[in-house]
Amino acid sequence: MAAARRRRRSAKAPVTPTPTPTTRRALYLPLALTLGLLTLSLLPRVQVNLRLAWSFWGASGALLIWQTVLFLRLRGASVGRSLESVLRPQHYVQAMVQVAVFAYWGWYWRPVYDFAVLLAAQLVFAYVFDMLLTWSRREKYVLGFGPFPIIFSINLFLWFRDDWFYLQFLMIAVGFLGKEFVRWHREGRNVHIFNPSAFALGLFSLVLITTGTTHLTWGQDIASTLTLAPLIYLYLFLLGLVVMYFFSITLIAGSAAVVLFVLSALYASLTGVPYFLDSDIPAAVFLGLHLLITDPSTSPRTPPGKLLFGALYGAGVFGLYMILGAAGAPTFYDKLLAVPLLNLSVRGIDSLVQIARESPALARLRIEWAPLTSNLAHMAAWIVFFGAMTAMGKTDGKHTGDSLPFWEQACAHDRANACSRLIQLETTYCGDNSAWACNELGVHFRRGVAVAPDSELARGYLARACEIRFQAACVNLLDPDGLNRSDPRPLDLRLLLREAGQNLMEMSEPGLYARACHHDWAFACSR
Amino acid sequence: MKGGVPLAFLAIVAAVWIALRLSQGPPTELAMDARPPTATGNVEGFRVDAWFLPDEELLGFVEIPAGPFVMGSDASVDPDAFDIERWSSTSAQGIVDLPAFYLARYEVTVAQMSAFLVATAGAIQAQALQTPPDHPAAFVSWPDALAYAGWIDATLRESSATPPQLRALLSDGWRITLPTEAEWEKAARGVDGRLYPWGSEPRQDRANYSSRSAVPVGSYECPECPFGLADMAGNVWEWTRSPDQPYPYDATDDGEGLEAEALWIMRGGSFGDGQSGVRAAMRGRADPGARRAFIGFRLALVR
């Protein structure tokens, strides 16, 4: 009830109509913003890459052409175009939460801050695109913070690299086109089916997977660098509480998390190895279940519906992670692909809930819905659950899967997926410039034990390790059959032992070796 | 959902799919920056049909006969000698006996490196290909140099363009790689213990040093140089396959010290060095990942 009252208040109070400007004056705004986009293209961050600059110019050019056509079309029209500003809390509160995530994450992974200009450019592009799309179809554009959560949400999960940044603009365009055109009738209203950001992310994820072009994006880096920020789970949890309090999404996020925790625990108890690589719920999934699936207009509105929706998301991510892994595709797409499918299931969930409510059997069981509608009660349960998970070491802190020796042993014992996890971990650390990890990969691909043999790939990894001054790798390069290995060096350990993102660069060597020993590195215990 | 929506949806999917297919680039994990569009054109004295190797009977490989030579520096004779060139605490120099081997007459050129990159669809730091084709290939790391050696070895084994004598050697267990520092030093100073390839006095008309940039390989005539090799002093430093180990030189310890940070020996000095830097016994050390304008390499054919 309280939530319903809040919704009614928020629907009325913040509306601030402005005087309707003439069509010509209305069109000045997208023109000014497009010129702003062109101005952004002159910044050093953009100019450093000509293809990136061309992406900006191409996007600006397309927007200018669209404006010109629209202007000419409307010149003699009887109905003008206008703006109305409406500030909706679900937009600006969510945007503020997302900014808080960027700020904290970027503090520990600087590419996020370097990306700020490109993020701003996407926002400008999104506003202009949204305005032009609206005015091409109807009279009034509602100006508010709507594009902010869409753009931020997209960018919390996927960016294209500079050389292919035009695809980022295309992805935004697809998101808004989906919102405008892919619609259905629900509860008597014509509404968009898909969460706009999730639609664009899901569609592009699908295409990136099928075309094998993930390397065009920062997706893998984004998914794995969230944990560079210390206590990221706690941070996301606290931010999530804000969203939960204002928008009653606790049942969705909470049930998704519970299902994932339970399924992960079940898998681990059956196989002896963690299901997800380095946590019971990957941090990026934890972020997704707070910010990606909680759009009120594309999710169920009843408490049982929300419960089911969240539970399906948890199960969906769990299943997709397995399917993607089995297909050899990057597994970080799991959280993105599940959302559009869930959006499509919303009407089915609504119907199920309706049937359940009218079921005489449930009536006999005297199930009362009313107690389930208190958001504060849901939040209290969620806080207790998260606290319990944290106390059990299932969120921030050391995790079984953080230990490379654990995966080495599990692989040697042929435990489920252990070898592929080992390779995946070593690939990540090699990408972070751990020469030890690169040499290990080279040796694996040369031996062909944990993976199929591939001499070219082996040579590439060994060359990379050698260039980072790992002598065993250099010696391996000289001998086509060389399988030399040596213990990780201090610099490697500073990367390998990060565990939930702690910065170990300043840690003393004795401290580092003590930590390594604690993480099952036997050689370190005697140092 | 409206009737046209599924069609629009499919169109969006198709457009995105096509855009991504069109923009699909090379895997970037192991690539660097630059790819040559095609192999470089004609270079005088080098065979276009043989990956721009020298137009000679053995494609530029020169035989260095078996036998001993004096390695290291005696500071009483060579005032420019560095401590790391001293053989041991009791002896300034050592005698090293090497089996016969072949060393390339010239440093590997930009044209040769371009041919490698074209053939392998490989990539390398952009600056490596920005000098003329007859200049020494620079900006190559130690693994880059080894990769080139491995590629040309495999290519010559398979190609019908390989001269019969070279083919026979390759069939007989010889392989193309980088020289050890002992092989390099012997080829540079011969067996009479001279300080420079041409003798024991510095001569700027014999090698490119104390200058501003590299020059085409073989630009300096050196009739006094042993074995007729070019640019064994100056032009660019040359990677060897010897790790940085203290003297006395012993090739059998190359696989030791795996825990140490890698440093590999390069020889010959470069255009930017003075006379002391281009002495035949001079030992340079560099990170294997170093890519510099003054570091290149030459090939050896060894058994």
Side-chain angles (χ1 to χ4, degrees):
Chain A
M1 295 294 281
R5 278 200 299 276
R6 254 195 316 280
R7 270 199 303 277
R8 278 197 298 274
R9 275 205 303 273
S10 64
K12 279 192 292 184
V15 177
T16 321
T18 53
T20 304
T22 65
T23 300
R24 186 188 296 262
R25 282 177 55 201
L27 284 173
Y28 281 153
L29 184 56
L31 180 62
L33 288 172
T34 309
L35 294 177
L37 185 60
L38 279 170
T39 309
L40 286 174
S41 76
L42 302 176
L43 294 176
R45 172 65 183 84
V46 181
Q47 286 293 315
V48 75
N49 184 317
L50 191 60
R51 291 181 73 173
L52 176 62
W54 271 107
S55 296
F56 273 61
W57 299 332
S60 305
L63 293 174
L64 283 172
I65 291 169
W66 193 352
Q67 285 165 62
T68 308
V69 171
L70 187 63
F71 180 80
L72 293 174
R73 211 184 81 192
L74 295 176
R75 208 163 40 172
S78 56
V79 181
R81 295 295 184 262
S82 62
L83 280 169
E84 180 189 18
S85 80
V86 177
L87 306 181
R88 294 198 170 99
Q90 60 263 45
H91 293 155
Y92 61 74
V93 170
Q94 198 171 356
M96 283 190 284
V97 167
Q98 289 163 324
V99 166
V101 176
F102 278 121
Y104 187 59
W105 172 33
W107 186 260
Y108 294 94
W109 193 54
R110 288 301 161 130
V112 175
Y113 288 175
D114 295 340
F115 193 69
V117 171
L118 305 190
L119 197 58
Q122 290 174 69
L123 271 174
V124 173
F125 176 83
Y127 268 104
V128 179
F129 191 92
D130 196 22
M131 282 177 201
L132 296 177
L133 185 61
T134 304
W135 282 331
S136 296
R137 291 170 54 81
R138 55 188 170 273
E139 182 193 353
K140 189 185 293 178
Y141 176 74
V142 178
L143 182 63
F145 286 104
F148 273 80
I150 296 175
I151 299 305
F152 287 167
S153 195
I154 287 175
N155 284 274
L156 279 170
F157 298 97
L158 204 63
W159 320 328
F160 279 89
R161 293 180 187 276
D162 288 2
D163 281 352
W164 296 280
F165 200 74
Y166 64 94
L167 291 170
Q168 190 80 15
F169 289 126
L170 185 61
M171 183 157 63
I172 293 166
V174 165
F176 282 98
L177 287 170
K179 180 168 175 271
E180 182 71 23
F181 290 105
V182 187
R183 305 175 76 85
W184 61 13
H185 284 278
R186 186 172 159 225
E187 296 171 356
R189 294 171 57 210
N190 182 268
V191 294
H192 54 276
I193 301 173
F194 298 107
N195 173 338
S197 51
F199 174 70
L201 286 168
L203 191 61
F204 272 69
S205 298
L206 205 58
V207 180
L208 286 164
I209 292 169
T210 53
T211 54
T213 48
T214 295
H215 61 275
L216 306 189
T217 75
W218 286 88
Q220 184 69 61
D221 308 77
I222 291 170
S224 58
T225 55
L226 263 179
T227 51
L228 291 179
L231 301 176
I232 187 67
Y233 286 92
L234 181 61
Y235 187 76
L236 294 175
F237 167 75
L238 293 174
L239 287 178
L241 289 180
V242 177
V243 187
M244 287 173 175
Y245 178 76
F246 282 106
F247 309 118
S248 306
I249 54 113
T250 318
L251 284 177
I252 296 177
S255 60
V258 169
V259 165
L260 274 168
F261 272 125
V262 169
L263 289 176
S264 289
L266 202 61
Y267 180 90
S269 66
L270 290 173
T271 62
V273 294
Y275 184 71
F276 293 108
L277 196 57
D278 55 359
S279 56
D280 280 57
I281 297 184
V285 174
F286 197 68
L287 173 67
L289 61 86
H290 281 101
L291 294 177
L292 201 56
I293 59 170
T294 48
D295 172 14
S297 36
T298 56
S299 56
R301 297 204 173 87
T302 61
K306 288 178 179 179
L307 261 180
L308 187 57
F309 189 78
L312 284 174
Y313 180 72
V317 169
F318 190 87
L320 280 167
Y321 184 80
M322 189 184 301
I323 293 167
L324 289 169
T331 51
F332 70 87
Y333 288 116
D334 54 0
K335 59 193 166 291
L336 307 181
L337 290 175
V339 188
L341 296 175
L342 281 174
N343 292 151
L344 277 175
S345 73
V346 165
R347 282 204 305 204
I349 292 173
D350 286 344
S351 304
L352 261 179
V353 170
Q354 192 57 36
I355 291 166
R357 277 182 161 166
E358 292 164 2
S359 159
L362 288 178
R364 274 199 299 279
L365 290 171
R366 293 176 178 277
I367 288 181
E368 292 289 338
W369 301 109
L372 297 175
T373 59
S374 166
N375 188 43
L376 285 176
H378 304 155
M379 287 179 66
W382 168 237
I383 290 168
V384 169
F385 181 79
F386 183 82
M389 288 296 107
T390 302
M392 290 163 63
K394 300 294 184 188
T395 55
D396 294 300
K398 185 174 180 290
H399 184 271
T400 311
D402 288 329
S403 162
L404 268 164
F406 168 83
W407 289 108
E408 283 178 339
Q409 286 177 16
C411 177
H413 291 113
D414 214 17
R415 295 258 175 84
N417 296 324
C419 290
S420 62
R421 300 288 169 80
L422 176 65
I423 297 298
Q424 193 179 339
L425 268 180
E426 288 176 350
T427 305
T428 302
Y429 287 123
C430 176
D432 291 344
N433 281 340
S434 162
W436 174 87
C438 296
N439 185 58
E440 290 292 304
L441 282 170
V443 169
H444 287 314
F445 280 102
R446 193 169 264 185
R447 287 171 65 200
V449 176
V451 283
D454 186 330
S455 59
E456 269 309 294
L457 207 48
R459 199 202 65 75
Y461 282 123
L462 293 174
R464 184 166 185 163
C466 175
E467 291 197 359
I468 323 173
R469 303 187 64 185
F470 202 74
Q471 183 69 344
C474 299
V475 173
N476 286 337
L477 275 179
L478 276 176
D479 175 4
D481 300 319
L483 297 171
N484 291 290
R485 300 167 73 183
S486 65
D487 294 326
R489 302 171 304 181
L491 182 58
D492 295 306
L493 291 177
R494 292 180 200 284
L495 297 167
L496 302 175
L497 302 174
R498 272 187 324 225
E499 172 203 289
Q502 293 184 46
N503 184 353
L504 304 180
M505 287 302 163
E506 305 299 324
M507 183 177 267
S508 68
E509 286 200 12
L512 201 59
Y513 284 118
R515 187 180 176 86
C517 179
H518 182 58
H519 278 72
D520 308 327
W521 291 96
F523 82 95
C525 302
S526 57
R527 294 286 176 105
Chain B
M1 225 183 293
K2 292 174 184 173
V5 169
L7 198 60
F9 182 79
L10 281 176
I12 291 170
V13 174
V16 174
W17 191 86
I18 290 166
L20 281 174
R21 290 301 290 183
L22 288 175
S23 57
Q24 188 169 8
T28 53
E29 190 176 0
L30 303 171
M32 293 294 292
D33 299 323
R35 289 158 175 279
T38 58
T40 317
N42 197 20
V43 181
E44 194 179 346
F46 293 82
R47 284 178 55 181
V48 179
D49 64 334
W51 310 279
F52 298 93
L53 291 168
D55 188 7
E56 298 176 17
E57 190 178 27
L58 282 176
L59 297 180
F61 285 106
V62 176
E63 183 175 9
I64 314 295
F69 81 104
V70 178
M71 190 170 181
S73 289
D74 182 348
S76 66
V77 177
D78 179 2
D80 290 330
F82 288 92
D83 286 347
I84 61 164
E85 297 163 22
R86 186 180 172 83
W87 199 249
S88 69
S89 59
T90 55
S91 152
Q93 292 177 300
I95 304 293
V96 176
D97 196 2
L98 293 176
F101 64 97
Y102 295 79
L103 197 67
R105 188 181 307 282
Y106 304 110
E107 291 157 337
V108 169
T109 64
V110 169
Q112 290 163 14
M113 203 66 184
S114 299
F116 162 56
L117 297 173
V118 167
T120 59
I124 198 168
Q125 189 158 318
Q127 293 105 313
L129 305 176
Q130 286 175 353
T131 47
D134 54 358
H135 277 231
F139 292 102
V140 284
S141 69
W142 187 82
D144 290 341
L146 268 186
Y148 174 80
W151 169 76
I152 197 72
D153 179 278
T155 304
L156 289 172
R157 283 174 197 279
E158 291 167 7
S159 171
S160 58
T162 305
Q165 195 181 339
L166 182 56
R167 180 188 298 280
L169 286 169
L170 291 169
S171 304
D172 196 28
W174 293 73
R175 64 192 173 89
I176 296 172
T177 181
L178 300 177
T180 64
E181 61 170 326
E183 288 164 348
W184 194 97
E185 187 171 328
K186 179 179 179 182
R189 72 193 310 188
V191 296
D192 55 9
R194 62 182 74 175
L195 303 186
Y196 298 94
W198 52 85
S200 288
E201 295 300 322
R203 287 180 62 174
Q204 281 201 274
D205 62 335
R206 287 289 178 260
N208 176 30
Y209 65 95
S210 298
S211 72
R212 297 176 63 120
S213 64
V215 296
V217 298
S219 293
Y220 285 79
E221 299 237 340
C222 185
E224 306 87 350
C225 290
F227 314 117
L229 303 173
D231 304 314
M232 291 299 281
N235 219 16
V236 286
W237 285 93
E238 297 172 16
W239 288 113
T240 72
R241 71 171 194 276
S242 296
D244 177 31
Q245 300 274 31
Y247 279 166
Y249 174 81
D250 179 0
T252 61
D253 67 8
D254 285 358
E256 295 173 6
L258 298 184
E259 304 290 337
E261 297 271 313
L263 279 176
W264 289 76
I265 294 290
M266 50 186 193
R267 291 302 202 107
S270 77
F271 61 84
D273 292 294
Q275 63 181 48
S276 69
V278 298
R279 291 172 303 110
M282 175 71 186
R283 307 177 77 202
R285 299 181 286 194
D287 288 357
R291 290 180 171 86
R292 301 284 184 272
F294 50 82
I295 303 179
F297 65 108
R298 81 172 66 215
L299 299 173
L301 180 61
V302 301
R303 195 161 197 172

